[in-house]
Amino acid sequence: MAAEAKEIWSAPITPRTASVMGTPVVASPPVSCPPSQLHSPSLTRSPLLHSENGDAPRPKTKTPKTPRTPRTPLRLSNLTPRFITPLGSPVRKALRFTKLDPQDAWLPITESRNGNKYYAAFHTLSSGIGTQALVLPVALTVLGWTWGIISLTLAFIWQLYTLWLLVNLHESVEQGVRYCRYLQLCGATFGEKVGKLLALFPILYLSAGTCTTLIIIGGSTARTFYEVVCGDSCTAKPMTTVEWYLVFTCAAVVLSQLPNLNSIAGISLIGALTAVGYCTSIWITSVAQGALDGVNYDPIKAGSSVETAFSVLNALGIVAYAFRGHNLILEIQSTMPSSEKHPSHVPMWKGVKVSYAVIAACLFPMTIGGYWAYGQLIPSNGGMLTALYQFHSHDVSKFVLGMTSFFVVVNALCSFQIYGMPAFDDMESQYTTRMKKPCPWWLRALIRVFFGFMCFFIGVAVPFLSQLAGLIGGVALPVTFAYPCFMWLKTKKPKKYSAMWGLNWFLGTLGVCLSVVLVISSLYVIIDTGVNVSFFNPQ
């Protein structure tokens, strides 16, 4: 029996028609994969998949003893009704040939794949809105009402389009892989060396630079919160700014010990709620207090036309800086399961649409209401939060001021977790690649402590980093606005001279040109107007 079973599995070309007992036997047609395996969760959730070379143990089957009519082999196309085939076939083809990297089960971004559209909305909202929204009215002081609102609207639509591109590029039907990290997709599209050259610095800048900025803003705002709550009744000696940075960093490091991206979904929800809370509180309070006396809405013009042009470009960089977060979209989507009937891009796009509807409901009122209330008087350093304390500290109740400060601190703590996750993932991947095993818990804890205090050191050494919003926006602009367009052209290969082909070429080229011009103009403005440079002396 074992010998006959072996012959059936080897599938000889000429079927044997007689056995020892003289009973005719017809060889069963070979089946490459049991149909039940196609719907198994292990194909998408387990990092270890058996290849199609027959590595997996084969089930024991009995040789039929009576002649049977040969059946038509069960094909994949027969599993799906014809009207679903155009949707089902590409995804099924991708999943059939997908073989996930075993290391994905050891890294914090892809360690857990039980995310859903709600988790996606929480993470996207927490990373898409934050303290960068507070400086948007500063851009309108240079651009004015008309061009400021037009620029903000176009930037919002543009980045929403590139988000759609990234969500649909996450799963490659042709290659049969899931690109779980932005840098991984860049490497697969442009080549490993070119991809790292183009995207490594902006992505690291967005992760480590954003975390450093959050320490600066969170520590400073924590000090303000203490002063508002304590008031004149405090007799204790107040802590210095560096000490507040240290307090904030310690709290952020403790929260960062959560193992993976899915485990911080609750933290992202808190971060999203607090971001919506302080944005709404600031613009409603500012509008309720009315426009300041002597407010002026005329755009600020520099001495020469060249200086004016550079100021306009720097303001566009501030707008671009408000729409960061694209470097986390693929990472967020990679936490979701993906199957033949339920590909991950469907719930991911639902979460993105909901989160960006909320983001629009925060950014546009913040920008328009803030500029209407303060006009040219809005402080360039700190934006709306500084303006609220500077102009209304005696008009607004301490409860509102304290609640707003508290929301900013909590949001900064929560945003630190999601922006630090790519850095944690990259450092742990260095260990898993060399040692071929997951990081022990003590090493994972040390990595996150090291990253947190490295950002703390940079924040103390370069405390004016938060004033470089225009420069940061110019550096990060290709990641948000340009690279996804070129990735779509390279991967999907739309028909030449079609609408999709022309749109992506235009937006991608425009994004790269804008990035170069914005970086140059931001450097010029920094050199010309000056920045309060105070190394190792945070105020």
Side-chain angles (χ1 to χ4, degrees):
M1 295 295 289
E4 290 181 359
K6 184 176 181 181
E7 290 183 33
I8 288 176
W9 275 109
S10 62
I13 298 176
T14 304
R16 301 173 65 90
T17 58
S19 65
V20 178
M21 302 300 295
T23 305
V25 179
V26 179
S28 300
V31 179
S32 61
C33 180
S36 60
Q37 186 177 349
L38 294 172
H39 302 283
S40 173
S42 64
L43 277 179
T44 55
R45 297 190 182 184
S46 174
L48 299 175
L49 300 179
H50 295 297
S51 64
E52 295 187 351
N53 299 329
D55 298 334
R58 289 167 178 164
K60 296 181 180 180
T61 58
K62 296 183 178 179
T63 306
K65 297 182 179 180
T66 57
R68 294 182 179 180
T69 304
R71 297 180 179 179
T72 304
L74 186 61
R75 299 184 182 275
L76 293 173
S77 58
N78 297 334
L79 296 175
T80 306
R82 185 176 297 276
F83 66 91
I84 301 181
T85 299
L87 276 177
S89 296
V91 178
R92 182 183 294 115
K93 179 182 177 182
L95 294 176
R96 182 182 179 186
F97 293 100
T98 297
K99 188 174 183 180
L100 301 179
D101 187 351
Q103 292 188 36
D104 279 350
W106 303 336
L107 299 176
I109 288 178
T110 50
E111 189 175 58
S112 172
R113 291 185 183 270
N114 61 352
N116 52 47
K117 60 184 178 181
Y118 303 105
Y119 286 13
F122 301 159
H123 291 314
T124 306
L125 187 55
S126 180
S127 62
I129 186 173
T131 55
Q132 69 272 17
L134 299 174
V135 296
L136 274 175
V138 178
L140 265 66
T141 61
V142 178
L143 299 174
W145 276 116
T146 304
W147 288 109
I149 296 176
I150 290 175
S151 301
L152 184 63
T153 304
L154 291 178
F156 182 82
I157 296 173
W158 189 353
Q159 59 91 36
L160 194 60
Y161 169 72
T162 53
L163 266 177
W164 179 82
L165 295 180
L166 287 175
V167 168
N168 286 276
L169 285 172
H170 175 77
E171 293 166 324
S172 174
V173 175
E174 294 78 10
Q175 301 298 327
V177 295
R178 294 181 68 179
Y179 298 110
C180 298
R181 295 156 185 86
Y182 194 101
L183 192 59
Q184 183 183 5
L185 180 58
C186 275
T189 305
F190 305 117
E192 289 297 329
K193 294 183 178 180
V194 178
K196 287 184 178 180
L197 182 65
L198 292 176
L200 183 60
F201 176 73
I203 289 175
L204 291 179
Y205 195 65
L206 281 172
S207 294
T210 300
C211 288
T212 303
T213 304
L214 289 172
I215 289 177
I216 296 173
I217 296 175
S220 302
T221 310
R223 180 180 183 178
T224 304
F225 172 74
Y226 173 80
E227 293 173 351
V228 170
V229 173
C230 191
D232 300 330
S233 61
C234 290
T235 57
K237 182 181 179 181
M239 293 192 298
T240 63
T241 305
V242 175
E243 291 171 338
W244 281 110
Y245 288 0
L246 184 60
V247 170
F248 181 90
T249 304
C250 291
V253 166
V254 170
L255 284 178
S256 69
Q257 300 305 317
L258 291 172
N260 53 60
L261 193 54
N262 266 341
S263 64
I264 65 170
I267 292 179
S268 293
L269 173 60
I270 296 173
L273 294 177
T274 51
V276 174
Y278 73 71
C279 285
T280 306
S281 173
I282 290 176
W283 77 260
I284 287 181
T285 303
S286 300
V287 171
Q289 293 297 320
L292 298 178
D293 296 334
V295 67
N296 185 9
Y297 303 115
D298 295 331
I300 298 175
K301 295 182 179 180
S304 63
S305 57
V306 176
E307 294 176 347
T308 301
F310 279 129
S311 298
V312 170
L313 292 172
N314 184 61
L316 293 176
I318 295 176
V319 175
Y321 175 62
F323 295 114
R324 66 189 183 187
H326 277 46
N327 60 308
L328 296 170
I329 290 299
L330 295 177
E331 285 80 354
I332 295 171
Q333 190 172 352
S334 67
T335 63
M336 295 182 174
S338 187
S339 63
E340 172 190 335
K341 294 183 178 180
H342 305 286
S344 63
H345 69 85
V346 176
M348 182 65 193
W349 184 240
K350 290 181 180 179
V352 168
K353 287 189 294 185
V354 172
S355 61
Y356 270 82
V358 178
I359 289 173
C362 291
L363 294 187
F364 283 90
M366 169 76 75
T367 307
I368 297 172
Y371 186 59
W372 175 83
Y374 304 112
Q376 302 296 344
L377 300 177
I378 188 168
S380 59
N381 183 19
M384 291 290 291
L385 187 63
T386 304
L388 181 66
Y389 290 109
Q390 182 175 334
F391 299 112
H392 300 300
S393 59
H394 300 291
D395 304 331
V396 180
S397 65
K398 286 187 176 182
F399 174 78
V400 174
L401 295 176
M403 181 188 66
T404 303
S405 302
F406 178 75
F407 282 172
V408 172
V409 174
V410 173
N411 173 256
L413 279 173
C414 298
S415 298
F416 184 94
Q417 310 309 316
I418 190 168
Y419 274 99
M421 198 61 71
F424 305 153
D425 186 88
D426 182 68
M427 287 188 282
E428 290 186 28
S429 68
Q430 304 299 322
Y431 177 87
T432 58
T433 301
R434 294 181 181 181
M435 306 303 294
K436 306 300 181 184
K437 62 180 181 179
C439 280
W441 67 268
W442 58 267
L443 182 58
R444 171 172 281 189
L446 286 178
I447 286 174
R448 302 182 183 206
V449 171
F450 168 77
F451 176 80
F453 283 95
M454 180 189 69
C455 293
F456 165 76
F457 176 78
I458 297 174
V460 174
V462 192
F464 54 90
L465 188 65
S466 58
Q467 302 177 31
L468 309 179
L471 180 61
I472 296 174
V475 172
L477 189 142
V479 174
T480 304
F481 295 107
Y483 293 161
C485 300
F486 292 127
M487 291 173 183
W488 186 270
L489 290 169
K490 184 75 173 179
T491 305
K492 299 297 184 180
K493 294 180 173 56
K495 185 179 180 181
K496 200 172 183 180
Y497 303 118
S498 64
M500 200 68 174
W501 182 87
L503 178 63
N504 283 288
W505 267 114
F506 172 74
L507 293 179
T509 306
L510 179 62
V512 172
C513 295
L514 275 177
S515 175
V516 174
V517 174
L518 289 179
V519 170
I520 295 174
S521 62
S522 299
L523 291 174
Y524 176 84
V525 171
I526 290 171
I527 295 172
D528 182 59
T529 60
V531 175
N532 185 17
V533 178
S534 55
F535 293 100
F536 295 97
N537 186 26
Q539 301 297 324

